[in-house]
């Protein structure tokens, strides 16, 4: 059975391409999704790629991942810095979690330096743009390989 990776994107990431391109780059979320699907396919991973501007919807997707996904890659956007609810959902499902940010949050406003998500994260990648998502997929694939050998 092909392992399925749930890739979740939080608020305003649907605006990538036009949103503060000096910080987030010119790629759209659809470009990132396509790159993740191709890279995931090469690694033998099924990619379920989603975006929501609503905290509750993200919580529900995380809850539903229990039993259907093998790992979660999440860029929670601004909810990273505010959401105990998303943290609790990630802790509850007990899956490997890779936290990704396009920008280097430690070079930015002080309120972006704290992530609630990190407490549930197996690994954190930030500042590498869309490459961060692909590196997170690599990390998931490698962990699955190790678990199966
Ligand atoms: C972000 C960083 C967050 O601080 C911000 O609110 C975002 C995007 C990133 O990918 O760099 O929406 O998660």
């Amino acid at each position: 059975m092909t392992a399925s990776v749930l890739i979740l994107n939080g608020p305003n990431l649907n605006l990538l391409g036009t949103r503060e391109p000096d910080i987030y780059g010119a790629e759209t979320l659809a470009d990132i999704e396509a790159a993740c699907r191709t890279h995931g396919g090469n690694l033998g991973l099924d990619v379920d790629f989603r975006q929501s501007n609503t905290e509750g919807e993200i919580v529900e997707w995380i809850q539903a991942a229990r039993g259907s996904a093998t790992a979660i890659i999440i860029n929670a956007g601004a909810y990273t810095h505010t959401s105990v609810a998303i943290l609790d959902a990630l802790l509850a499902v007990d899956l490997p979690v890779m936290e990704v940010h396009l920008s280097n949050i430690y070079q930015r406003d002080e309120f972006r330096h704290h992530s609630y998500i990190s407490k549930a994260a197996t690994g954190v990648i930030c500042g590498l743009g869309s490459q961060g998502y692909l590196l997170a997929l690599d990390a998931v694939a490698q962990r699955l390989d190790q678990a199966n050998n």
Side-chain angles (χ1 to χ4, degrees), residues 11-13 19 23-24 75-81 100-105 108 111-112 133:
N12 299 307
L13 291 168
R19 175 193 184 197
I23 296 175
Y24 297 116
N75 180 352
Y79 288 143
T80 303
H81 318 297
V100 171
H101 301 283
L102 296 157
S103 64
N104 180 348
I105 54 175
R108 300 185 61 198
F111 67 82
R112 295 183 203 277
Y133 288 76

Side-chain angles (χ1 to χ4, degrees), residues 17-34:
T18 56
R19 175 193 184 197
E20 300 182 272
D22 45 319
I23 296 175
Y24 297 116
E27 276 177 297
T28 65
L29 196 62
D31 294 333
I32 296 176
E33 176 173 0

Side-chain angles (χ1 to χ4, degrees), residues 58-67 72 89 92-93:
I58 296 171
V59 167
E60 278 168 17
W61 286 342
I62 293 168
Q63 289 182 8
R66 189 184 231 154
I72 296 175
V93 293

Side-chain angles (χ1 to χ4, degrees), residues 77-148:
Y79 288 143
T80 303
H81 318 297
T82 63
S83 182
V84 177
I86 292 177
L87 166 63
D88 282 350
L90 290 169
L91 291 172
V93 293
D94 198 24
L95 290 169
V97 173
M98 304 297 166
E99 176 182 354
V100 171
H101 301 283
L102 296 157
S103 64
N104 180 348
I105 54 175
Y106 301 102
Q107 271 176 356
R108 300 185 61 198
D109 326 77
E110 199 147 328
F111 67 82
R112 295 183 203 277
H113 297 183
H114 177 259
S115 163
Y116 282 97
I117 308 302
S118 293
K119 191 163 173 53
T122 311
V124 182
I125 301 168
C126 77
L128 299 178
S130 62
Q131 189 194 8
Y133 288 76
L134 308 184
L135 293 171
L137 281 165
D138 285 338
V140 168
Q142 210 168 91
R143 291 175 68 84
L144 288 175
D145 269 0
Q146 278 163 4
N148 294 331

